[in-house]
């Protein structure tokens, strides 16, 4: 196998592996979306996963240096602006610009 | 309505630019032509797995290991589809594509934005999925094309995704108004970080869904 053939095979293998994880629930639970346990899971997983994703994006931040401080400030600012204005884009971009400003200063 | 869907994807665009570009640069550093990065971004379309493969390719790992580790790292998506069972409609190319594009970021948007109008809903879900997909492909390509020869200062831009998840978390709270899922998530995250820090994402999602189901069964048996 040449190097290009190898990497094309890798892409194919990864495509199949990733796609199978994403199509699986639709294949396995097809037509069962209204089952009580399914709608219970469907309703409560988004808040759980959103909480987990927040922690996931922050898990490598070192909270004992200034980057940690900037991160905390930017997260607090994002929450405050969102509770105040309720406009997702305004909250997200203000928080991000604050973080980029602090970190590049 | 269409404008709302497009606007909702802007944070994902800003989050994907630094991440996709970083992937493209690392991939190009391995000595592959740029269009292979584009091909991988288009078909694999999984950030975490794509960063993982750079390490695996450099180490010369076999195809079986690549298949298993890609499957494991993405297996959290099995739980994502369940929330969309009633929303992605009948079988067809459209549904297969929506399932194909159900990444962390797309999942976050489609589960928070809940249009009431059924016809509009179909269109919005497709738009969000396709836009996020194209942002990822374009960012990875740019990174691979410009390589490390040129650098723009995107430092800190990746915070967009943190801010996006923080805001959608608040939106989820407004919708649900129930502490239980947040408490389960906090507990699962603590356990996962403490015991399996490397696989924290998969472990915490699997654990929290298990606890959620257990809670439902206990409530019923009472």
């Amino acid at each position: 196998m040449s190097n290009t053939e190898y990497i094309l095979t890798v892409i194919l293998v990864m495509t199949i592996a990733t796609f199978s994880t994403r199509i699986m629930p639709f294949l396995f639970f097809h037509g069962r979306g209204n089952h009580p346990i399914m709608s219970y899971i469907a309703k409560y997983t988004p808040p759980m996963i959103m909480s987990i994703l927040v922690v996931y994006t922050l898990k490598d931040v070192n909270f004992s240096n200034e980057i940690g401080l900037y991160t905390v400030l930017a997260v607090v600012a994002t929450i405050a602006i969102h509770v105040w204005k309720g406009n997702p884009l305004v909250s997200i971009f203000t928080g991000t610009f604050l973080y980029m400003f602090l970190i590049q200063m | 309505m269409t404008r709302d869907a497009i606007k909702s994807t802007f944070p994902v665009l800003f989050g994907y630019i630094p991440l996709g570009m970083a992937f493209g640069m690392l991939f190009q550093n391995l000595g592959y032509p740029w269009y292979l990065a584009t091909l991988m971004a288009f078909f694999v379309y999984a950030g975490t797995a794509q960063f993982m493969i750079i390490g695996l390719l450099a180490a010369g790992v076999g195809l079986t290991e690549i298949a298993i580790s890609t499957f494991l790292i993405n297996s959290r998506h099995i739980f994502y589809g369940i929330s969309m069972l009633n929303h992605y409609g009948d079988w067809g190319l459209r549904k297969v594509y929506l399932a194909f594009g159900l990444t962390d970021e797309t999942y976050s948007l489609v589960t928070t934005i809940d249009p009431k109008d059924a016809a509009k809903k179909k269109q919005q879900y497709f738009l969000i999925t396709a836009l996020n997909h194209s942002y990822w492909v374009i960012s990875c390509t740019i990174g691979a094309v410009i390589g490390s020869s040129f650098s723009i200062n995107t430092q800190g831009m990746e915070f967009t995704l943190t801010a996006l998840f923080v805001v959608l978390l608040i939106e989820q709270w407004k919708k649900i108004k129930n502490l239980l899922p947040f408490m389960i998530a906090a507990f699962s995250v603590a356990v996962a970080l403490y015991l399996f820090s490397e696989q924290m994402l998969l472990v915490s999602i699997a654990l929290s869904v298990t606890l959620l189901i257990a809670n439902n069964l206990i409530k019923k048996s009472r």
Side-chain angles (χ1 to χ4, degrees), chain A residues 67 70 98-105, chain B residues 155-158:
Chain A
I67 302 217
Y70 300 157
L98 173 68
Y99 182 75
M100 288 178 76
F101 171 76
L102 290 172
I103 210 168
Q104 292 188 14
M105 227 171 23
Chain B
Q155 200 197 351
M157 209 162 132
E158 68 284 350

Side-chain angles (χ1 to χ4, degrees), chain A residues 10-21:
Chain A
V10 168
I11 292 175
L12 180 70
V13 165
M14 289 182 75
T15 302
I16 295 168
T18 303
F19 180 63
S20 54
T21 65

Side-chain angles (χ1 to χ4, degrees), chain A residues 18 21-26, chain B residues 45-46 48 71-82 99 102-105 107 202 205:
Chain A
T18 303
T21 65
R22 291 185 185 159
I23 199 75
M24 230 181 237
F26 297 97
Chain B
Y45 187 30
T48 334
F71 184 86
L72 285 179
I73 211 163
N74 284 321
S75 49
R76 65 183 183 282
H77 294 131
I78 295 170
F79 302 109
Y80 290 10
I82 296 174
L102 198 54
T103 60
D104 297 328
E105 292 74 19
Y107 173 81
L202 172 60
I205 290 176

Side-chain angles (χ1 to χ4, degrees), chain B residues 3-137:
Chain B
R3 269 188 57 211
D4 290 347
I6 296 172
K7 265 167 67 183
S8 76
T9 65
F10 288 167
V12 177
L13 169 63
F14 280 84
Y16 278 1
I17 289 173
L19 280 180
M21 282 179 57
F23 165 78
M25 286 174 188
L26 290 170
F27 187 81
Q28 183 252 13
N29 276 345
L30 290 175
Y32 297 114
W34 64 267
Y35 54 82
L36 288 176
T38 310
L39 209 65
M40 187 179 281
F42 187 89
F43 286 106
V44 180
Y45 187 30
T48 334
Q50 283 177 232
F51 278 104
M52 173 202 76
I53 194 64
I54 288 172
L56 294 187
L57 284 175
V61 173
L63 286 172
T64 320
E65 283 92 334
I66 290 175
I68 294 171
S69 36
T70 307
F71 184 86
L72 285 179
I73 211 163
N74 284 321
S75 49
R76 65 183 183 282
H77 294 131
I78 295 170
F79 302 109
Y80 290 10
I82 296 174
S83 296
M84 303 314 290
L85 282 176
N86 284 342
H87 303 285
Y88 276 0
D90 299 326
W91 279 112
L93 259 185
R94 189 178 152 279
K95 185 176 182 171
V96 172
Y97 178 69
L98 291 177
F100 164 83
L102 198 54
T103 60
D104 297 328
E105 292 74 19
T106 301
Y107 173 81
S108 308
L109 294 183
V110 295
T111 51
T112 309
I113 294 144
D114 190 15
K116 296 283 170 277
D117 183 344
K120 293 276 185 196
K121 194 152 127 175
K122 274 187 158 181
Q123 193 195 357
Q124 291 209 1
Y125 287 150
F126 183 80
L127 233 119
I128 291 172
T129 306
L131 284 173
N132 287 351
H133 188 198
S134 60
Y135 299 155
W136 180 248
V137 175

